Amino acid sequence: MRLTVAEPTVRIGGGASPLALPASPLPSPHEPHMTQGSQTDTPADRVASVALNLPLDRTFDYLVPQSLRGQVVVGGRVRVPFGKRLQVLGYCVGLKASSEVPEAGLKAISRSLDKEPVFTPLMLKLARWMAQYYRCSLGEALHAALPSAVRKGRERRKVRFACLRLPGEEAERIADEIFDKSPAQSKILRTLALMGGEAPAAELKKATATSQPSLNALEKRGYLKSEMRLVESEDPLPHPPTSPQQPPRLTPEQHRAYDVITEGMSRGRFDVVLLHGITSSGKTEVYLQCIAELLRLGKQAIVLVPEISLTPQTVRHFGSRFARLAVLHSRLTEAERLRQWHRIRSGEADVVVGARSAIFAPVPALGLLVIDEEHENSFKQDTVPRYHARDVGIMRARFDDALVVLGSATPSLESYHNYQVGKYTRVMLTSRIGGHPLPPVEVVNMSEEWAGRGRLRVISRRLESRMRESLERGEQVILFINRRGFSTFIHCPRCGYALKCLRCDITLNYHQKINALVCHYCGFERRPPSSCPECGLEQMHFSGTGTERVEAAVRELFPERTATRMDSDTTKARQAHRDKLEAFRTGRADILIGTQMIAKGLDFPNVTTVGVVNADVALHLPDFRSRERTFQLLAQVAGRTGRGPAGGRVIVQTFMAQDPSIQAAAHHDYEAFARHELPLRRELRYPPYGRMVRIICRGRKAEAVEQFASSLGTALRRLCEQLGDGAQVLGPAPAPISQIRGRHRRHLLIKCPNSRSVADLMQDAAGMLKGPASVKVVVDVDPQSML
C-alpha cells in the first residue's frame, strides 16, 4: 500500500510529482522512536520530531525536557543523542503533545541552538519535496540547504593553517625531488606553492586528496609549519558601489522582455519565462532592470549563475546597481558565507547572487528567481541530495508565488520543450547590443590538416594565421580546449598498451609541468615510464591534447606574446581566477588559454579571434546529451568574440566537421539543432519526452556488485510490469567508467513517462535499493552524467 502525504500535486517540466513519503517501519527499542515527519500543526511542544543527516527515510521523536520547553522551534537546529553519539546535529520539523510510545522510551533533546527558525515553513515544504523526489532523507535535504558555517554556527573560530617554510620555487624543486618516494608529500608542496604558500589544512587535504600523516611528515622534515589562526568574516564584495550607476536605455527587444517579466512580477503568481537571447544580446541588463522594478514592489531576488561564470565581473555588474547585494559561492570562506547568510536572513540584502546552493538563500520575500545559463549541468549536484538547482528553484518559486526567469543563448532541450508545449513563456533577444553581428565561424577539418603530413598540428595553419592577424593589430585571442594537462593518454605504438590508473578504469593524463601521470578522478600520480611495461619498447607515445600542450604550442609559435592559462591546475589560489581575468582584461596578457571556465560569462571587446582547439571532446562521450553539450559549448565559446567594433571570428578545429551539432553551432542556428535532435530523443524516449533515473551499484568486490545489480534489475523490471505505466528498465551493464577509487561500478537506467511515474516507482522500490554491506547503491533522479 502506498502512503501519501496530503499535499497538493505539483509539476516540474515533464509531469506531476506528488509530495509523498514512505511509511515508517516499527520503532527499534534501541533508538529514538521513528515517526512520519509531516505532522507539524500541533501547537503543544512536549515531543519534537527531529530530522537527522542520515540516509533514513524517517524522523525521530525526542522528548523536550522541561528546561528547554518553549525554546525548541520548528525549523530550528537541535543537538540530540543518537546511538552512541551524544551531540548529533538535527533539525526540528514538528512539535506535538505526545508520541506513540511511552515517554520513558524517548531520549531527550540535549540542546536547542536557535531562538528563531533557520527554516521557514515554505523551506521545510521544499525540503520535503526534495527528499521525496530525489530519494534522500528529509535530514539530508535540510542539511544541504544550510551552509556548513551556519550549521556550525561559529562566526569567529580558529582554523589550522599549513604554511610553507621556504619560497614557492624552492618548494616546487623539492616536490620534484621527493616525488618518486613520497608522491603525496610532493603533491602537497606543489599545491601549497600554487595556493600562495599557505592554506587551511582541511582545504589543502581536500585539494590534494591526501591525509594528515603526509602533512605531519612534511612538518617534521622542516618544509611546513602549522599554526592556528582566528578566522573572521570579511566582505566578499571587493568594490562596494559608492552610488548605483544609471541604467542604459533598453533596446526594443530588451524592452519587450522587460515588459513580459515585470508584468508577471506584478501579478504575484508563479510563472516561468524563458529568456532566449543570443550571446551579447543584453540578457544581464534585462535582469538588472527587472530586479530594480521588483525592489520597488518590496520583494527580493535570487540570481543563480554557474560557479564557473561567477566571476568578479558578474559581481561588479550587480554591485554597480544594488548597494544591498549579497554573494554566496564556494570560494568564500566559511566565515564570509556565514556573514552573508545572516545578512540575507535579516533582510539586509535585496539581491542574492550565487552558485547552485544559493537557491536556498533565506530571503524573506522572494519575488524573482533568475537562473542564468540555465542549461549548465553544473546546476546538478553530484552528491546526496542529487538535486538540480533549476528544478528545485522552480518548485521554490511555485511555493513562494514568485516568477522564474530562465536565461540562456542555448536553452536546455527540456526548457525549450516546455516552451513548445505551453508550460513556459518564451521571450527572444535576437540582436546583439550595439548592432554587432554574431561572428562568422570557420570549421577546420583536421583530417585534411593531417593528411600527408604525418604529424598533427595542435594549432592549424588557419587558426595560426587568424591569431597573427589579430595580435599584430593589438587585439586579443582566446583558445579553448576542455581538457587539462599536456597529453590525455600515453600508449605503446607497438603493442597498444595504454597506461591506466591503478584504482580507476581510466587512462592517466600527462602533466608536463610536474612531469607526472595524473588520474583526474582519484588524484593518483606516478612518473611516466621510460619504456612500455608490457613489451619493453623504449619510446612511448604521448597522445591527445590538453591545455598545457596548447600553451606550449602557443609559446613556440608566438614567443614574443604573453599567454596565460586558466584551468583547475592554475587557479588553486583563492584569487587566481580573478587575477588572471584581470590581467587579460587590462591587456597584460595577449592570449587566454583555458577550459570551460572561460567559455561563458566573460565580456572582452578586444577579443577578435576565438579558437576551439578540439570540438570533438564531448561528442565521443557515451551520453545521450553529448551532441547537445557540444552545440551549447561551441555556441557559448563563439560568443566570447565580436563584442567590440573590431568584430571577430571563430575557428573550430574538428575531425567531425559534418556532425549536426557542429554545423548548427557554426551557423548560430539553435532552432536547426533542436529540429534535428528532438525527434531522436522522442524516438528513444529520452528527456524531454520522459524522465530518467540512473542507479549505480558500486563496491570493492566485482562479483558482489554484479550479482546485486543483476537481481536489482530483475526486481525492478517485475515492479515496472506491475505498475503498468510504461516505465522501462535498461541494464544492468558496466558503467562507462567501470571502476573509480577501487570500487567497481555497474548501472541501470530507468525511463519513466513523467515525474509522477518516477515518484511512484522509486517509492515502491525503496526496499529493493538497499544493497548488502559490500555494495553501495546510488540513486540519481534526472541524471546529467552517464559516466
Side-chain angles (χ1 to χ4, degrees), residues 5 270 361 365 411:
V5 179
F270 166 73

Side-chain angles (χ1 to χ4, degrees), residues 713-785:
T714 300
L716 286 172
R717 268 185 278 273
R718 188 180 303 119
L719 178 59
C720 287
E721 291 174 1
Q722 293 173 358
L723 291 176
D725 60 1
Q728 178 187 9
V729 179
L730 304 178
I737 302 178
S738 62
Q739 184 177 345
I740 294 179
R741 298 181 185 273
R743 290 171 174 82
H744 302 274
R745 307 166 77 241
R746 295 182 77 83
H747 68 160
L748 302 97
L749 295 179
I750 306 176
K751 296 180 182 179
C752 298
N754 50 49
S755 56
R756 176 61 180 265
S757 173
V758 171
D760 290 349
L761 179 63
M762 289 296 96
Q763 182 176 319
D764 288 351
M768 306 174 187
L769 299 175
K770 298 174 182 177
S774 60
V775 179
K776 180 175 177 59
V777 180
V778 174
V779 178
D780 189 1
V781 177
D782 299 334
Q784 293 294 304
S785 172

Side-chain angles (χ1 to χ4, degrees), residues 420-548:
Q420 286 186 317
V421 299
K423 292 180 181 176
Y424 297 171
T425 299
R426 183 171 74 156
V427 185
M428 296 286 291
L429 299 178
T430 61
S431 301
R432 282 186 152 191
I433 297 299
H436 302 302
L438 285 167
V441 178
E442 294 183 42
V443 177
V444 176
N445 191 329
M446 296 301 282
S447 299
E448 297 173 1
E449 184 80 14
W450 195 3
R453 293 180 176 84
R455 180 174 174 267
L456 182 65
R457 293 168 57 105
V458 173
I459 295 176
S460 65
R461 290 167 298 172
R462 182 58 181 151
L463 177 54
E464 179 188 349
S465 172
R466 287 295 304 177
M467 291 173 67
R468 287 196 186 281
E469 292 173 10
S470 292
L471 294 170
E472 286 171 1
R473 292 194 299 263
E475 298 158 359
Q476 292 173 297
V477 174
I478 289 178
L479 297 179
F480 168 82
I481 181 166
N482 210 18
R483 286 286 185 271
R484 60 189 175 97
F486 190 88
S487 298
T488 52
F489 65 100
I490 300 176
H491 66 102
C492 174
R494 183 164 70 187
C495 71
Y497 178 83
L499 284 159
K500 285 190 169 186
C501 176
L502 298 178
R503 298 188 291 173
C504 305
D505 180 32
I506 198 75
T507 55
L508 295 169
N509 288 253
Y510 177 62
H511 287 241
Q512 187 183 60
K513 181 175 173 57
I514 61 174
N515 189 32
L517 301 177
V518 180
C519 175
H520 289 173
Y521 281 83
C522 73
F524 169 77
E525 294 184 3
R526 58 161 292 184
R527 290 288 188 210
S530 57
S531 60
C532 175
E534 192 76 11
C535 72
L537 184 70
E538 293 188 354
Q539 189 172 6
M540 300 289 283
H541 277 199
F542 290 67
S543 302
T545 299
T547 49
E548 279 191 4

Side-chain angles (χ1 to χ4, degrees), residues 248-258 274-287 289 372-373 406-411 427-439 602-603 635-636 639-643:
R249 183 183 297 274
L250 297 177
T251 67
E253 282 190 332
Q254 285 178 309
H255 211 291
R256 179 175 177 275
Y258 171 85
L274 176 60
L275 183 57
H276 186 175
I278 64 173
T279 56
S280 194
S281 59
K283 294 186 290 294
T284 301
E285 186 58 42
V286 174
Y287 303 153
Q289 296 201 26
D372 194 31
E373 310 290 3
L406 306 178
S408 178
T410 54
V427 185
M428 296 286 291
L429 299 178
T430 61
S431 301
R432 282 186 152 191
I433 297 299
H436 302 302
L438 285 167
L602 303 180
D603 186 1
Q636 293 287 341
R640 298 315 102 207
T641 188
R643 291 170 173 247

